[in-house]
Amino acid sequence: MPTESTFYAPLQYQPQWMWLGVVLIVLVAGWYGWLFRPHRALTSAGRMSDQPDLETLRSRCLEAIEATAADADAGRVPVRDAHQRLSFLVREFAGAATALPVTSMTLDELRHEGFDGLAEGIAEIYPSEFSALPVQPVSHSADIARKVVQAWN
């Protein structure tokens, strides 16, 4: 047994552990910064500043409705898919015109937001969109979709 006591200093951490901790803190701070980032501000008119005008949206939607009806008539698109596409086109148009998430709203939510004409039009397309066999021809659903888009203010 040695009479002299030897002192062993504690081991030091390696520097990469400190840098790993710093990187993790920066990542967590960045994640929180991204999570709570401010959303794009609306203009004074209540619409997003980079949106096209209503007439451009309307003409694009009407062209897409015509193309969908023509594809269904030619047999390039199944009838049920055409009805679903028409319903989506109308919702997409309304969403682009209002900057609201119209594509994910129920009919009751649409009515609550004051989109009664849109809700009624989509409700008329629903039977053919969700039934196993089409209730009405695609041309009828296309007419409904055209009326909803043309009546939009």
Side-chain angles (χ1 to χ4, degrees), residues 22-79:
V22 169
V23 167
L24 286 175
I25 289 172
V26 168
L27 285 174
V28 169
W31 180 71
Y32 274 111
W34 180 81
L35 187 64
F36 295 114
R37 74 190 182 285
H39 296 283
R40 189 182 330 176
L42 296 176
T43 62
S44 62
R47 293 176 38 169
M48 302 297 271
S49 60
D50 60 345
Q51 287 190 340
D53 65 320
L54 186 61
E55 289 309 313
T56 303
L57 289 172
R58 181 175 284 128
S59 66
R60 287 180 189 165
C61 185
L62 291 173
E63 288 172 8
I65 290 170
E66 295 303 323
T68 301
D71 286 345
D73 289 342
R76 291 186 293 264
V77 175
V79 174

Side-chain angles (χ1 to χ4, degrees), residues 6-153:
T6 57
F7 176 72
Y8 294 106
L11 295 175
Q12 296 296 316
Y13 286 108
Q14 295 178 352
Q16 63 261 28
W17 292 111
M18 180 191 69
W19 291 113
L20 179 65
V22 169
V23 167
L24 286 175
I25 289 172
V26 168
L27 285 174
V28 169
W31 180 71
Y32 274 111
W34 180 81
L35 187 64
F36 295 114
R37 74 190 182 285
H39 296 283
R40 189 182 330 176
L42 296 176
T43 62
S44 62
R47 293 176 38 169
M48 302 297 271
S49 60
D50 60 345
Q51 287 190 340
D53 65 320
L54 186 61
E55 289 309 313
T56 303
L57 289 172
R58 181 175 284 128
S59 66
R60 287 180 189 165
C61 185
L62 291 173
E63 288 172 8
I65 290 170
E66 295 303 323
T68 301
D71 286 345
D73 289 342
R76 291 186 293 264
V77 175
V79 174
R80 184 174 184 196
D81 290 349
H83 289 287
Q84 291 172 348
R85 177 76 177 151
L86 290 169
S87 176
F88 178 75
L89 286 170
V90 172
R91 285 176 175 268
E92 188 178 45
F93 166 77
T98 62
L100 292 174
V102 177
T103 56
S104 60
M105 290 181 169
T106 64
L107 293 178
D108 288 337
E109 290 171 336
L110 290 172
R111 288 184 184 105
H112 183 270
E113 290 292 327
F115 303 131
D116 294 329
L118 175 64
E120 295 307 316
I122 292 172
E124 288 185 50
I125 298 173
Y126 266 5
S128 295
E129 184 177 356
F130 293 111
S131 66
L133 297 173
V135 176
Q136 58 198 15
V138 175
S139 61
H140 181 70
S141 293
D143 289 339
I144 294 168
R146 275 188 222 99
K147 288 177 187 174
V148 169
V149 170
Q150 289 169 344
W152 191 270
N153 292 342

